[in-house]
């Protein structure tokens, strides 16, 4: 069973989020409710929730932010079923492009994505800013920052 936009799913999300192997803790429940829940999809089976995905849609561009399969559900085709469902959802929403990021050493994910026809297009280095670091940055009006950005671009 698929559960889109499962607002009550924060506890499951937080538990599975740890499988990503990132340095930060899972986003707290208020952030989950305000920013993530509406873009999430959970897959639930007889043993409980076995996977979740979080996506973004930017015009005709679909971005899979996270896909996590619980350890107990790995090797059963759940990741493939989630990817197939997401592909259909992106197509239905008018996406003509679909991308995701994956760690170089995540061999099972790379094998899954490659088996579905996805191909690497580039390697990147990620620079991370935590929510706490972001909150500590000096404030600036969005219009002021945008004006400076346009000016610099035009001055080149």
């Amino acid at each position: 069973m698929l559960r889109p936009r499962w607002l009550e799913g924060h506890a499951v999300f937080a538990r599975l989020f740890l499988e990503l192997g990132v340095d930060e803790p899972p986003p707290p429940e208020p952030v989950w409710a305000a920013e993530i829940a509406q873009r999430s999809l959970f897959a639930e089976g007889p043993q409980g929730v076995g996977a979740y995905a979080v996506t973004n849609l930017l015009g005709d561009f679909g971005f899979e932010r996270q896909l996590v399969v619980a350890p107990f559900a790995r090797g059963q085709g759940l990741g493939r079923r989630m990817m197939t469902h997401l592909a259909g959802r992106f197509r239905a929403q008018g996406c003509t492009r679909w991308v995701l990021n994956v760690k170089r050493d995540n061999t099972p994910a790379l094998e899954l994505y490659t088996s579905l026809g996805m191909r690497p297009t580039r390697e990147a280095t990620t620079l991370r800013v935590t929510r706490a670091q972001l909150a500590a940055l000096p404030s600036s009006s969005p219009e002021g920052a945008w004006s400076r950005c346009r000016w610099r671009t035009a001055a080149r």
Side-chain angles (χ1 to χ4, degrees):
M1 176 173 96
L2 295 177
R3 290 181 181 237
R5 299 175 183 87
W6 185 30
L7 191 57
E8 299 81 18
H10 180 262
V12 174
F13 165 80
R15 180 176 42 82
L16 290 176
F17 182 92
L18 299 175
E19 296 295 325
L20 291 171
V22 297
D23 298 333
E24 283 192 54
E29 194 163 3
V31 172
W32 159 259
E35 301 175 19
I36 302 169
Q38 66 273 13
R39 298 179 289 113
S40 67
L41 175 70
F42 289 84
E44 185 173 10
Q47 294 178 294
V49 175
Y52 81 82
V54 177
T55 61
N56 279 356
L57 183 64
L58 306 165
D60 70 343
F61 182 75
F63 181 57
E64 180 186 309
R65 294 195 47 86
Q66 297 169 5
L67 173 64
V68 178
V69 177
F72 74 83
R74 292 182 185 150
Q76 300 173 26
L78 187 53
R80 178 174 301 280
R81 287 193 301 277
M82 290 285 285
M83 291 290 289
T84 301
H85 179 80
L86 293 174
R89 198 162 116 186
F90 281 144
R91 277 192 294 275
Q93 293 173 319
C95 290
T96 59
R97 296 177 293 159
W98 178 14
V99 299
L100 53 84
N101 295 323
V102 62
K103 291 180 178 180
R104 283 174 249 211
D105 62 348
N106 191 343
T107 303
L110 289 168
E111 289 173 355
L112 170 65
Y113 301 144
T114 301
S115 75
L116 293 168
M118 299 182 101
R119 299 288 176 254
T121 57
R122 65 184 171 94
E123 287 195 21
T125 300
T126 301
L127 303 176
R128 185 172 308 163
V129 176
T130 66
R131 289 184 184 275
Q133 291 166 327
L134 186 60
L137 290 174
S139 62
S140 172
S141 73
E143 179 56 36
W146 177 245
S147 295
R148 287 191 302 276
C149 179
R150 285 188 301 194
W151 179 84
R152 287 185 188 138
T153 302
R156 288 186 181 185

